[in-house]
Amino acid sequence: MPTKAEVVEAGVTLDATYMGRVYSELNDLPDPGIMNIGSLCVAPFMSLVIYEAMRKSSFLSSSMEIILSDDANDVCGRARHSLKLFTDTNGGIDRQLTHFEQDIMREHSKYFLGNTWLPLARFLETDLGVFTYEGQIVTTTHSATFHLGIPSRRLLREGIAPVMQSILHQMGRCLVALGAVGHTGEPRTFASYASGSSLRNRDVRAAKHYGRSFNGPETPYINGTLTDFQAITNFIASLLIAGADPLSLEYSVFKIRYIALFHVLASLRVLQGRSDMGLSRRSSEAIVRILETSEARVVTHPSTRGFRNTLMHYGPTNSMLGDLDLSAPLFGLVPVFFPEHDFRSLSALVDRCIRDTARELNAWAKTT
């Protein structure tokens, strides 16, 4: 039977090693598109690893080497919490919608619009970058800002490169302390298999883009956050698993997919439960289609919440330890929470749920 410290250290090491491989492979790519978009998509998950490892530092042999400046620690914490979407207990849906509307959408519009010297040409100005992989949105400039954890005013004023340089350097040192070693041979990550020809980007006017999507023109701030849900779901459905077998994923890739899926589904349930949000009938029906599949009910069932908690926070309860095996997929967590499944069958269920959710979100996002 492993000790709690052994389980924590094993999970942290696997995640840190994976992140190190991802960024090593991205940095070696000749295609700056995959490098930039891949980095933005993975960034909040890197923050999750470091943030949670720091909180479990008493269980780690490298605890004295996991150090961030106050600035980097704040950014890391905000990026990690962004993954909770509407389920963040620090303000929940109201705080997130306000943040997306005022601190991201409004700040980007103020910065990028109204600058053309010829007023008649200002209708050509854009304030939202949309990035797609295999025809589906995987991130936007609004979504990237949200998940980087850096206030828009600072990011727009100073630029992403200068702001991120010191922070990423510190995070890189933390990953190395936690076990990251860069290239380790096979298995390679999505960065080595992603197709640059499948990546596209276009600049649009945010008001027009959001006004034509999801819940319609009356709720652009809701549509903006739903676009983020759409992007992160498409990322875990396609780009993240490029070159991999979705039914036999390594620990960290399965973890990223499960945590992202769980919070998208849970956040849609939060939105569905708020009668004051002005959801259209079409929107309500789309949410029902997503949440009421048998797979979505399994993923979000209260009895399995400990599975998500253990993956996210690394710390199993003492009562679990007797059932765990560090040599088993996910350390043997699957039969503890999903007695009807083994790792492969749960992976198949999660994969179906991700693809169904992505398909419904992409359809819902189209003209209302």
Side-chain angles (χ1 to χ4, degrees), residues 175-193:
L175 289 179
V176 170
L178 294 171
V181 292
H183 288 297
T184 59
E186 297 294 343
R188 301 186 76 80
T189 74
F190 74 90
S192 293
Y193 295 98

Side-chain angles (χ1 to χ4, degrees), residues 97-329:
L97 288 174
T98 298
H99 172 62
F100 210 91
E101 179 185 22
Q102 297 183 2
D103 301 334
I104 297 178
M105 293 171 60
R106 189 174 298 175
E107 289 297 326
H108 281 233
S109 294
K110 284 168 57 179
Y111 185 85
F112 290 107
L113 301 183
N115 298 318
T116 303
W117 69 271
L118 181 63
L120 288 176
R122 287 180 180 171
F123 74 96
L124 297 172
E125 293 178 322
T126 60
D127 57 342
L128 176 67
V130 178
F131 302 87
T132 62
Y133 186 77
E134 296 179 340
Q136 304 297 346
I137 294 175
V138 291
T139 193
T140 68
T141 48
H142 287 173
S143 184
T145 301
F146 177 58
H147 289 297
L148 282 175
I150 302 173
S152 289
R153 290 184 182 181
R154 179 183 178 190
L155 198 61
L156 295 171
R157 181 179 68 247
E158 300 178 32
I160 188 170
V163 172
M164 292 302 296
Q165 185 175 9
S166 171
I167 294 171
L168 286 176
H169 183 66
Q170 293 179 59
M171 289 185 172
R173 287 205 310 266
C174 286
L175 289 179
V176 170
L178 294 171
V181 292
H183 288 297
T184 59
E186 297 294 343
R188 301 186 76 80
T189 74
F190 74 90
S192 293
Y193 295 98
S195 169
S197 63
S198 296
L199 186 69
R200 297 283 187 276
N201 70 278
R202 56 192 173 93
D203 295 328
V204 300
R205 184 71 69 95
K208 182 178 292 187
H209 181 82
Y210 293 146
R212 293 175 175 174
S213 66
F214 290 107
N215 200 54
E218 300 301 319
T219 57
Y221 49 96
I222 291 178
N223 301 339
T225 55
L226 289 172
T227 301
D228 180 59
F229 295 6
Q230 176 191 17
I232 199 170
T233 305
N234 285 331
F235 168 62
I236 62 174
S238 59
L239 182 57
L240 178 66
I241 58 171
D245 176 1
L247 305 190
S248 185
L249 297 170
E250 59 181 296
Y251 175 94
S252 300
V253 181
F254 180 94
K255 169 180 172 172
I256 289 172
R257 295 186 100 204
Y258 191 90
I259 287 174
L261 173 65
F262 177 92
H263 284 290
V264 166
L265 296 176
S267 296
L268 288 174
R269 191 168 297 282
V270 170
L271 179 61
Q272 181 190 49
R274 287 287 297 267
S275 59
D276 59 331
M277 289 294 153
L279 292 181
S280 66
R281 179 177 177 179
R282 179 175 180 270
S283 293
S284 296
E285 290 173 347
I287 294 176
V288 168
R289 284 195 300 273
I290 292 170
L291 296 180
E292 296 308 315
T293 66
S294 59
E295 291 84 358
R297 289 198 295 270
V298 169
V299 171
T300 58
H301 195 279
S303 67
T304 68
R305 189 172 181 85
F307 181 75
R308 169 265 180 201
N309 290 346
T310 306
L311 289 178
M312 193 162 195
H313 304 303
Y314 295 116
T317 63
N318 291 332
S319 62
M320 290 182 206
L321 294 175
D323 296 313
L324 300 186
D325 177 358
L326 296 184
S327 65

